[in-house]
Amino acid sequence: MSLVLCVACAVSSGRAEEPVVSANRDAEVLEAVLLDLLRDPGHDSPLGDKDGPPKEIYFEAELNQGAKNVKEILLRTTERPWQSLSPPQLEKVEAAANDLVRRVTAKETLADFQPKDSRIHLYDKEKPIVPHGTGPVRAWIPGYSPDGVWAVVRISLPSYPHVVEATYALANVEGKWRVRLRQFSHYY
């Protein structure tokens, strides 16, 4: 009983609270991005086809380690997706992109990623089974805004014969990561 009273006192004392961070928020954020690719909400994802979104996705849990910079991550190939974010939200997204770069530079790794959705399969290099022989979706470690509310994810998508990368910005709304921006960049 006294522990509950102490916690209540600490919260009401006016001290700044630390953001609530899930023990496995990287996995939660990455799964939100992969689920978005499976939903195909009418965007230009290279994984969909005339029949709609992909039925399944293969994900390489070994993260991309190639250097990224904030300018490259936030490059606007089209303005439309970015117009939905307010200036304060864009500042949070830029801070999250800086954190992504910091984490990649520090060579941080992903904790044991076990997707909850049965349509998301972990790619096994020993048994390379991927539809259409295109390869798995790969990601860089996510970055977060200082308050932990915004996340930026950069992924590479299997697409033959060119390279496709995507930038996602997500916001944590009531404990769930929601996609607020997606932009696909096609490199020929």
Side-chain angles (χ1 to χ4, degrees):
M1 179 73 159
S2 61
L3 178 61
V4 172
L5 292 174
C6 289
V7 170
C9 293
V11 171
S12 64
S13 69
R15 287 188 288 167
E17 292 181 46
E18 290 292 316
V20 176
V21 177
S22 165
N24 203 4
R25 71 178 173 172
D26 289 340
E28 293 169 4
V29 168
L30 290 171
E31 187 148 2
V33 167
L34 296 171
L35 288 172
D36 182 74
L37 289 169
L38 285 166
R39 284 188 203 101
D40 193 18
H43 53 75
D44 59 350
S45 168
L47 298 184
D49 59 24
K50 63 180 175 46
D51 297 326
K55 305 286 185 258
E56 57 190 4
I57 289 180
Y58 285 80
F59 179 71
E60 171 65 63
E62 184 179 314
L63 298 172
N64 281 332
Q65 293 295 324
K68 286 287 168 198
N69 62 56
V70 173
K71 184 177 178 182
E72 183 181 18
I73 294 166
L74 301 181
L75 177 68
R76 297 179 186 198
T77 56
T78 180
E79 282 296 318
R80 191 175 44 137
W82 300 91
Q83 292 172 342
S84 66
L85 301 179
S86 68
Q89 291 171 330
L90 286 169
E91 287 177 22
K92 301 274 183 154
V93 168
E94 185 172 350
N98 275 301
D99 187 52
L100 183 156
V101 170
R102 179 195 63 76
R103 294 183 78 195
V104 168
T105 302
K107 300 196 182 314
E108 289 189 32
T109 59
L110 182 62
D112 187 30
F113 179 63
Q114 294 299 319
K116 295 176 184 168
D117 193 290
S118 63
R119 298 172 296 167
I120 301 170
H121 307 283
L122 293 179
Y123 176 74
D124 183 348
K125 289 180 186 178
E126 303 301 317
K127 302 176 211 165
I129 301 170
V130 180
H132 316 298
T134 57
V137 173
R138 297 199 63 204
W140 284 262
I141 193 91
Y144 301 93
S145 59
D147 62 5
V149 174
W150 284 85
V152 169
V153 174
R154 183 75 174 188
I155 60 174
S156 61
L157 300 159
S159 183
Y160 182 79
H162 55 276
V163 175
V164 178
E165 290 186 357
T167 296
Y168 273 81
L170 301 92
N172 191 316
V173 179
E174 298 177 0
K176 296 275 187 192
W177 289 101
R178 308 280 185 212
V179 173
R180 296 294 184 233
L181 175 139
R182 74 183 63 75
Q183 177 178 269
F184 296 95
S185 301
H186 300 261
Y187 302 100
Y188 298 94

